[in-house]
Amino acid sequence: MNDLSLLLVTFAFLVPASMLSVEAALSVSIFEIVLGVIARSVFGIQPFPFLKLTAAFAGIALTFLAGAEVDTRLIRTRFKESFLIGVASFLAPFLAVLAYCYGSLNWTWEASEIGAIALATTSLAVVYAVLVETGLTRHVVGKLTMAGCFVTDFFVSLALSTLFVRPNTWTLVFLVVSVVLIVVAPRILPRLFQRYGNRVIEFEAKVLFLLLLLLMVLGELGNSHAMLPAFVLGLVLAPLFERNQNLQRRMRTICFGFVTPFFFFGSGLRISLEALAASSGLILTLFVIKVVTKIAGVYPLARRFASRGAMFLTLLMSTGLTMGTLTATHGLDKGIITETQFGVLLAAVIASAIVPTVVAQRWFQEELELTMPTEPYSIPAAVAPDTRGVIRPQEGGD
Amino acid sequence: MLVAFDGSDNAFRALAHALDLGRLAGAPLTIVAIAEIPNYADSRLEVNGGLENERHHMHKLVKDALKRVKTEGVNISTEVRIGHPSNVIRKMVADDHFDLVVLGDKGHSTLVSLFLGTTAYNISRKVPCSVLLVK
């Protein structure tokens, strides 16, 4: 089959993935991964060049968006607590998984690092969905959880971008250009977008994509990874996104419509069901190590900073999805890990997205649905917890 | 009375029954439509986007529903809430002390109900008041 036919087949899977996600009220990324696994196992579909390229770009776009979602105000107001929780959330599982993979499984050192980073991640999106649903975005527990996630994401990006660097001349160029972009972009882009943006030409998306592709190319040339500068670039542009809901919506349409599905579907295509079945014990072990060490690292701090809801916060910090998938994919793309290792890590990451969330919601959420200390904090209008409209029988409308 | 509404045929039947009951008993009615957040999302964009779309959709749904039914003689209020239906209904009953929850016995999605039971069943298990399931 040529690439065009494979692209058709890809969309033939992506459409039902979207439908299933609506029916099940689950993230579309989960179904994209699952259908990718099915596409490979049942139909023998393999990643093809166009998909690989788009998926690689999607990974960086997702990292950029993760940075753009950081609430810098939140981190500033609770810096000490969020930094400590974030560091513990990253370091505890990182060291444990590194030791296990290298010491017990005899993975290579670099493969162990990939495993350690992938399982040290926390999923802000998974956490955020729970916090929005429960209204806890306005509570101390919710704020600390989100801030802790931001910090963990930062350390994941830092680790991935620095641990595997093989410096050459281009590495310096990459570093300099990254710093220049990060400093200059927040000063220039708002003016540029004001002049040329908000039109059908989607100028903003093209500019952002140009910057991300530049980072990717220089990262490749410099034997490094664009993840950290992409994350930090998103971080410094976060206020721009916060002020511009329209820009968020358009980025969402472009990314969810075309870019990110390739990333998740492509990840599924790289998983062998047979290898997964043979490694089920290992998947469980890695999952348990991740969750136990996250609890060991985060819970004492959570008790100190948010005594009520400490376990709820800790369990949410034990989740992982996008950044873990990105890390494992990077490892596979660079030949650092094998397809079997990739499948194992991805399965453990997905399990960590689901199980701790279910446990937190099932057993620890109700005790939080009582009055807790709140702080003034405005959340985006799009996600205000509820709205009320009184309609008299003779009237209509909102 | 609290009526859970998701736009399905069963939900319309439940709403019609609730309106009849409200008229007979002189009881006020609260209609709630619940915007569900995608679980295990891969980005906040997905959560916020899903939520924004769902809220608009639910608002429109309820507004259109009230045009299709006879609302005379009943004091109605409407709400759009965010979350999972069974948790939202449970919380609303606990907070606002509803005496009766009325809902259709099946909603739109059969996929989830195959694995996790119907929303109606989950709600009837969780709420401390009476529940009327309309078929």
Side-chain angles (χ1 to χ4, degrees):
Chain A
M1 249 194 272
N2 61 21
D3 278 13
L4 189 59
S5 304
L6 286 167
L7 193 58
L8 170 66
V9 169
T10 301
F11 273 94
F13 279 98
L14 293 180
V15 167
S18 302
M19 293 163 68
L20 286 168
S21 76
V22 171
E23 291 296 334
L26 290 179
S27 170
V28 67
S29 57
I30 302 259
F31 287 104
E32 284 163 356
I33 292 173
V34 169
L35 289 189
V37 175
I38 292 172
R40 172 178 168 153
S41 303
V42 177
F43 301 98
I45 310 288
Q46 295 278 342
F48 49 97
F50 178 78
L51 181 138
K52 284 188 201 172
L53 185 61
T54 316
F57 175 70
I60 294 302
L62 280 168
T63 309
F64 169 79
L65 290 172
E69 290 169 353
V70 171
D71 186 335
T72 49
R73 201 177 11 144
L74 183 60
I75 300 214
R76 274 199 303 270
T77 54
R78 293 202 154 247
F79 180 74
K80 179 184 146 195
E81 298 98 313
S82 50
F83 183 78
L84 287 173
I85 289 175
V87 167
S89 158
F90 175 79
L91 263 188
F94 176 82
L95 293 172
V97 173
L98 183 67
Y100 181 71
C101 289
Y102 188 65
S104 296
L105 300 178
N106 293 320
W107 287 14
T108 64
W109 179 253
E110 285 198 332
S112 305
E113 284 177 316
I114 289 287
I117 298 170
L119 293 175
T121 57
T122 296
S123 177
L124 173 64
V126 170
V127 163
Y128 181 65
V130 173
L131 296 178
V132 166
E133 182 202 334
T134 52
L136 286 170
T137 48
R138 288 173 297 179
H139 292 275
V140 168
V141 164
K143 290 182 202 176
L144 279 182
T145 311
M146 285 197 291
C149 289
F150 296 143
V151 173
T152 309
D153 275 355
F154 173 78
F155 279 107
V156 166
S157 307
L158 179 66
L160 205 59
S161 295
T162 53
L163 288 179
F164 306 98
V165 167
R166 301 284 175 267
N168 60 22
T169 319
W170 282 103
T171 315
L172 185 60
V173 174
F174 175 49
L175 185 63
V176 168
V177 170
S178 299
V179 169
V180 167
L181 280 181
I182 286 162
V183 169
V184 165
R187 288 164 172 74
I188 292 186
L189 290 190
R191 278 181 253 179
L192 213 56
F193 289 175
Q194 194 158 16
R195 175 70 183 93
Y196 298 107
N198 226 6
R199 299 165 202 264
V200 74
I201 53 173
E202 299 298 348
F203 179 73
E204 298 94 327
K206 287 171 183 161
V207 168
L208 291 172
F209 286 4
L210 171 66
L211 297 181
L212 294 179
L213 285 164
L214 177 62
L215 289 173
M216 283 178 73
V217 167
L218 291 177
E220 279 268 325
L221 290 170
N223 286 332
S224 181
H225 196 284
M227 204 176 191
L228 179 64
F231 183 83
V232 178
L233 184 63
L235 180 68
V236 300
L237 293 176
L240 180 67
F241 274 83
E242 206 181 328
R243 285 194 301 269
N244 194 338
Q245 294 285 325
N246 219 11
L247 176 58
Q248 281 192 39
R249 276 189 211 104
R250 295 206 305 279
M251 287 297 289
R252 194 173 70 215
T253 305
I254 295 168
C255 287
F256 279 94
F258 195 75
V259 177
T260 58
F262 287 94
F263 175 76
F264 292 107
F265 183 72
S267 298
L269 285 181
R270 294 163 123 174
I271 297 175
S272 155
L273 261 186
E274 295 83 9
L276 218 56
S279 310
S280 52
L282 176 56
I283 293 167
L284 181 63
T285 305
L286 286 173
F287 165 74
V288 168
I289 292 175
K290 172 177 179 169
V291 173
V292 166
T293 51
K294 282 270 190 184
I295 291 174
V298 173
Y299 186 69
L301 291 165
R303 281 281 318 242
R304 192 172 139 198
F305 299 132
S307 54
R308 245 180 132 182
M311 187 46 97
F312 185 80
L313 183 161
T314 304
L315 285 167
L316 291 187
M317 293 291 295
S318 306
T319 59
L321 185 58
T322 305
M323 296 293 259
T325 309
L326 280 166
T327 305
T329 306
H330 171 70
L332 184 62
D333 284 342
K334 294 298 174 191
I336 298 172
I337 57 174
T338 63
E339 270 195 355
T340 303
Q341 289 168 329
F342 173 79
V344 163
L345 290 174
L346 201 57
V349 163
I350 292 174
S352 75
I354 297 171
V355 175
T357 313
V358 168
V359 171
Q361 288 181 300
R362 176 73 180 80
W363 280 287
F364 298 96
Q365 181 171 317
E366 264 191 65
E367 69 172 274
L368 279 177
E369 287 176 357
L370 302 168
T371 307
M372 286 189 71
T374 62
E375 292 170 12
Y377 177 68
S378 61
I379 56 174
V383 295
D386 61 34
T387 57
R388 287 175 184 240
V390 176
I391 297 185
R392 303 289 169 213
Q394 308 88 315
E395 299 167 12
D398 296 85
Chain B
M1 260 191 299
L2 179 64
V3 181
F5 186 79
D6 68 357
S8 63
D9 291 341
N10 273 6
F12 267 105
R13 281 193 279 275
L15 179 57
H17 271 281
L19 285 165
D20 288 341
L21 282 172
R23 235 171 260 123
L24 279 171
L29 193 66
T30 299
I31 303 171
V32 64
I34 298 163
E36 282 196 73
I37 304 171
N39 281 313
Y40 320 118
D42 62 75
S43 66
R44 270 173 72 175
L45 266 189
E46 186 181 1
V47 175
N48 287 344
L51 210 45
E52 195 183 328
N53 292 338
E54 275 287 292
R55 282 174 75 243
H56 282 131
H57 173 65
M58 288 301 171
H59 271 297
K60 189 169 182 310
L61 209 67
V62 172
K63 192 172 155 186
D64 291 344
L66 287 174
K67 288 178 188 165
R68 288 171 56 178
V69 295
K70 290 186 186 141
T71 56
E72 297 85 17
V74 185
N75 192 342
I76 301 172
S77 62
T78 66
E79 293 198 27
V80 174
R81 291 259 183 145
I82 293 169
H84 297 293
S86 49
N87 290 339
V88 169
I89 302 285
R90 175 181 55 78
K91 195 158 187 316
M92 287 182 78
V93 168
D95 291 346
D96 300 330
H97 308 293
F98 289 100
D99 302 309
L100 177 68
V101 174
V102 182
L103 63 160
D105 75 329
K106 283 196 194 84
H108 275 303
S109 176
T110 52
L111 176 67
V112 173
S113 63
L114 279 175
F115 297 98
L116 300 175
T118 60
T119 303
Y121 173 71
N122 290 331
I123 289 172
S124 64
R125 277 178 49 232
K126 285 188 176 182
V127 297
C129 67
S130 301
V131 176
L132 174 63
L133 292 182
V134 176
K135 295 197 176 194

